[in-house]
Amino acid sequence: MYRYVILVFVAIFALATGRVCASTEGHHLPSAAVPIFNFFGFSLSNSMIITWVVTLLIILFVRISTRNIQLVPGKMQNFLEAIVEGLYEFFGSILDGKVLIKTFWFFSAIFIFILATNWFSLIPGVGSIGWGRDVGGHFVIETPLLRGGNADLNMTSAMAILFFFFWTIWAFRFNGIKGVAKEIFGVKAEGITGVLFLFLAVIFFLVGFLEVISICFRPISLMFRLYGNIYAGEVMLESMMGMGPILGIFASLPVYFLETLVGLVQALVFALLTAVFTATMCQHENHEGAEQQHQ
């Protein structure tokens, strides 16, 4: 157990050292991704390179792990199965069986992708190697060759909008048009009739419009939360590493360790919130049906 902890700290120290060595000439991380190459009118930004590399590595890992599936799994197959089983149990505590089976592919994929992208973006050279100019005797990088994938608002907004698209499909698939309207605008009370029911119907109908606005803002909160945390971590690391080759290493070590935890937490938060948003909409009718069958 202790040797694994030591290896983790050694790896963090090596990564921090590499980042400092790559950043000793001065560097400023732009607030937006920068186009690096153009192919027949299609721009390839520095953040897209990271996301493509991470996607390719994930696909290769899964293909190699499942190339020769055995009853007694090897190390890679066992590691992959442990990840899938852990995520299935985690999301199973939020979603019921029917919804989980239909949506697990999205939540597990989005968690693994965000986590892998966040950790891959901590490798030395990401954000600290590229093109720039000499300013006051220091070479300042203005166009980094590589940039953290989730430090790009385009990437986080794409994931958030994609979730909102699938969430809409799942909501109507599991509840139907009537069920969705009832969940948003319906009276959340039973056994009430007469004038009080009409009064509550008006109140809940007005509250429903606020709920629609809240639902529309969910993708915005998801994209800015992930982008803001990852970009802030990148800026903090670059500020610490700009202190010099010696002081920068020791000043950035705690921040570097923190960023590894932030990468995990932000991947978990994004996947958890999307699962909770799905559960609050898609499981209402299923729970009612289960209660009626139980009665």
Side-chain angles (χ1 to χ4, degrees):
M1 177 65 183
Y2 293 104
R3 63 179 180 180
Y4 292 111
V5 175
I6 294 174
L7 286 175
V8 170
F9 279 100
V10 170
I12 292 176
F13 182 82
L15 291 174
T17 304
R19 289 287 289 255
V20 171
C21 293
S23 303
T24 52
E25 295 180 317
H27 168 235
H28 172 67
L29 183 68
S31 59
V34 180
I36 301 297
F37 304 106
N38 289 310
F39 297 99
F40 303 102
F42 177 77
S43 297
L44 178 62
S45 67
N46 46 13
S47 64
M48 292 174 64
I49 298 175
I50 291 291
T51 57
W52 287 4
V53 171
V54 171
T55 302
L56 180 60
L57 291 176
I58 293 175
I59 293 174
L60 289 176
F61 172 74
V62 174
R63 291 292 299 174
I64 294 174
S65 302
T66 59
R67 180 175 52 184
N68 185 21
I69 298 179
Q70 300 177 355
L71 185 61
V72 180
K75 292 182 179 180
M76 294 187 65
Q77 181 185 340
N78 189 44
F79 180 66
L80 179 62
E81 290 180 356
I83 295 175
V84 174
E85 182 179 356
L87 291 176
Y88 194 85
E89 292 179 357
F90 174 76
F91 291 114
S93 63
I94 304 172
L95 304 164
D96 66 15
K98 182 179 179 181
V99 178
L100 179 64
I101 292 174
K102 299 294 184 180
T103 61
F104 174 71
W105 63 270
F106 176 83
F107 300 123
S108 59
I110 206 71
F111 171 79
I112 294 173
F113 175 77
I114 294 176
L115 178 61
T117 303
N118 290 343
W119 283 357
F120 191 87
S121 300
L122 295 175
I123 295 176
V126 176
S128 56
I129 297 177
W131 301 271
R133 58 190 176 89
D134 185 78
V135 177
H138 297 280
F139 185 77
V140 178
I141 296 176
E142 297 178 335
T143 306
L145 176 63
L146 299 174
R147 177 192 178 93
N150 292 321
D152 181 8
L153 188 59
N154 292 316
M155 186 65 222
T156 59
S157 61
M159 291 188 293
I161 294 173
L162 185 65
F163 161 71
F164 185 73
F165 172 75
F166 284 118
W167 179 89
T168 305
I169 295 177
W170 294 332
F172 286 102
R173 180 176 183 179
F174 288 106
N175 294 330
I177 298 178
K178 182 179 178 181
V180 171
K182 181 179 178 181
E183 178 66 21
I184 297 176
F185 300 102
V187 177
K188 309 300 189 299
E190 297 181 358
I192 299 177
T193 57
V195 178
L196 181 58
F197 177 81
L198 293 177
F199 175 76
L200 290 177
V202 174
I203 296 298
F204 277 97
F205 185 78
L206 296 176
V207 171
F209 284 102
L210 297 178
E211 181 66 17
V212 171
I213 296 175
S214 174
I215 291 173
C216 293
F217 271 96
R218 286 175 183 175
I220 299 176
S221 64
L222 286 172
M223 68 176 71
F224 278 105
R225 180 185 291 107
L226 180 57
Y227 164 76
N229 283 279
I230 301 303
Y231 178 74
E234 290 283 339
V235 173
M236 188 180 300
L237 274 175
E238 297 303 328
S239 300
M240 294 296 177
M241 293 172 182
M243 296 180 178
I246 303 299
L247 182 60
I249 292 175
F250 292 98
S252 62
L253 275 177
V255 179
Y256 214 98
F257 180 75
L258 177 64
E259 283 305 301
T260 59
L261 296 179
V262 169
L264 173 62
V265 170
Q266 290 304 314
L268 185 62
V269 167
F270 193 98
L272 178 62
L273 288 177
T274 54
V276 170
F277 291 155
T278 303
T280 55
M281 174 60 72
C282 297
Q283 296 187 179
H284 180 73
E285 293 295 327
N286 295 334
H287 289 166
E288 286 186 350
E291 292 177 358
Q292 293 176 359
Q293 291 179 3
H294 179 69
Q295 294 175 357

